[in-house]
Amino acid sequence: MAIERRRFLQAAGVGAILGLSGCTGDTSPPQANGGGAEGTEESQSGSGATQELTLATTTSTYDTGLLDALNPVFEEKFNARVKTISQGTGAAIETARNGDADVILVHARGAEDEFLREGYGVNRRDVMFNDFVVVGPADDPAGSSGMESAADAFATIADAEATFVSRGDDSGTNKKELLIWEAAGVEPSGTWYREIGKGMGDTLVQADQSGAYTLSDRGTFLATQDNIDLEIQVQGPLKGGPTILKNPYGVIPVNPAKSPDVNYSLAMAYAGFLTSPEGQEIISNYTANGSQLFFPNALSEGPQFGQYVPENYDGGENASSSASVSDAQFESWVTQHVPEDF
């Protein structure tokens, strides 16, 4: 299994993946190093073998640089090495489903729920959130700027046949985009609609070069804003926009009963780190161009049982009711965690 996983990771590209995930299947809990010199000396002395963890994650956590702030801290605390596969959420989930990742950090709750229902993931936790925004050229040829409905903005872009660049990669952003087209009653096609199969950063650059519209998570847009001329045309719920543009992130360890070779203990440690006060503080303090990119939401005084299981796990078939509860929860997160002057 280890050899197969090494080949998989190398084939995925050295730019996004650093090497082999040494998933050992070890069920003994990883030990965190001490915060002082003693823990550092033990780590450097080689008295304990460094464990390796494979993280499959959405491109937004990678493109924004957030993982560069989180992972080194985790690695030092747990004498571990994190190998990151940066890809769209759909591909990340498929990687984990195939047993080629130990843990996933993604942002498409519907796809996450399916992953949980199928038994491939366990112990899902809310980690953080931001939102999506509709961006486009400053001259706004379609006239979508300031619209209160993302679906109306998409319909306007389609009616004008203004160029729209789609990630087209089954990512969380792509899934959200398709949901908005459905709400707009539009099946996008034609020369004005370009599916490029790229990550968020590349999609923003290509949209900028083409004078096109696209859907972006706010974090990646803010992180690349200095390098592009696109402007936000429709705001997300962080700034009073429609809730359909919500963007929550979850972490899910891979079920060792499905994939016995995963490093489940270290995956659980990683999920625990991201949702700990320390991990949440790192997320909260991470900024680009003077703006906070993600808002942590793992810590709560009251129980949040819904994060662990699919949203309609109670067996109810009323999808609209489930969506309403999810929207209300997201709105409460915005109220609690997003400053009024954001």
Side-chain angles (χ1 to χ4, degrees):
M1 180 65 179
I3 294 175
E4 293 175 356
R5 294 184 67 184
R6 179 183 288 111
R7 290 173 180 166
F8 172 86
L9 295 176
Q10 290 174 341
V14 296
I17 308 166
L18 302 179
L20 163 68
S21 165
C23 293
T24 63
D26 180 18
T27 57
S28 60
Q31 299 297 317
N33 289 325
E38 182 179 350
T40 302
E41 290 173 1
E42 180 180 347
S43 176
Q44 292 176 345
S45 69
S47 59
T50 299
Q51 294 193 68
E52 293 183 330
L53 177 80
T54 298
L55 166 68
T57 183
T58 171
T59 63
S60 58
T61 60
Y62 183 85
D63 289 346
T64 59
L66 176 65
L67 294 180
D68 292 333
L70 285 165
N71 287 352
V73 180
F74 173 80
E75 289 174 331
E76 183 176 0
K77 288 180 70 68
F78 289 92
N79 190 23
R81 185 176 180 86
V82 179
K83 309 298 185 181
T84 301
I85 305 174
S86 173
Q87 50 192 174
T89 285
I93 289 175
E94 188 62 23
T95 295
R97 184 179 280 113
N98 292 335
D100 293 311
D102 304 305
V103 63
I104 58 175
L105 176 59
V106 291
H107 65 140
R109 187 60 196 265
E112 294 170 45
D113 286 351
E114 182 179 359
F115 185 68
L116 293 171
R117 287 192 196 96
E118 293 173 347
Y120 289 101
V122 291
N123 299 318
R124 182 195 177 277
R125 291 293 310 277
D126 292 328
V127 176
M128 60 190 182
F129 68 93
N130 60 17
D131 60 359
F132 293 101
V133 290
V134 181
V135 301
D139 60 355
D140 187 25
S144 63
S145 181
M147 287 188 168
E148 296 182 356
S149 165
D152 288 348
F154 271 35
T156 298
I157 292 168
D159 288 343
E161 295 191 351
T163 304
F164 188 99
V165 176
S166 169
R167 285 183 58 170
D169 62 350
D170 195 36
S171 61
T173 304
N174 186 218
K175 292 176 185 293
K176 178 68 68 170
E177 177 211 323
L178 296 177
L179 182 66
I180 298 171
W181 285 122
E182 181 180 359
V186 175
E187 294 185 9
S189 62
T191 58
W192 61 274
Y193 185 71
R194 303 177 184 174
E195 297 178 276
I196 64 171
K198 299 288 186 180
M200 196 68 256
D202 290 336
T203 300
L204 284 167
V205 169
Q206 194 159 139
D208 181 56
Q209 293 173 344
S210 305
Y213 296 88
T214 193
L215 182 72
S216 174
D217 69 280
R218 188 185 294 272
T220 308
F221 175 74
L222 291 174
T224 60
Q225 195 171 19
D226 284 350
N227 301 316
I228 57 177
D229 294 323
L230 299 175
E231 297 181 356
I232 295 178
Q233 306 295 343
V234 179
Q235 290 283 359
L238 297 192
K239 289 198 170 185
T243 310
I244 193 174
L245 294 176
K246 65 186 179 183
N247 187 28
Y249 289 74
V251 61
I252 310 176
V254 175
N255 186 355
K258 285 278 193 178
S259 301
D261 290 324
V262 298
N263 194 332
Y264 178 68
S265 296
L266 199 58
M268 286 293 291
Y270 190 76
F273 169 72
L274 292 184
T275 58
S276 71
E278 181 178 17
Q280 294 283 282
E281 183 177 10
I282 293 171
I283 294 169
S284 180
N285 291 338
Y286 188 74
T287 63
N289 296 319
S291 295
Q292 184 174 343
L293 302 191
F294 303 94
F295 295 87
N297 63 343
L299 303 178
S300 173
E301 292 184 0
Q304 300 292 334
F305 299 122
Q307 67 183 313
Y308 298 102
V309 295
E311 290 186 328
N312 61 346
Y313 185 72
D314 61 359
E317 298 182 358
N318 191 338
S320 61
S321 175
S322 178
S324 297
V325 171
S326 176
D327 288 350
Q329 182 183 55
F330 190 88
E331 290 166 0
S332 73
W333 288 340
V334 172
T335 300
Q336 295 173 34
H337 301 294
V338 180
E340 292 184 3
D341 59 352
F342 174 72

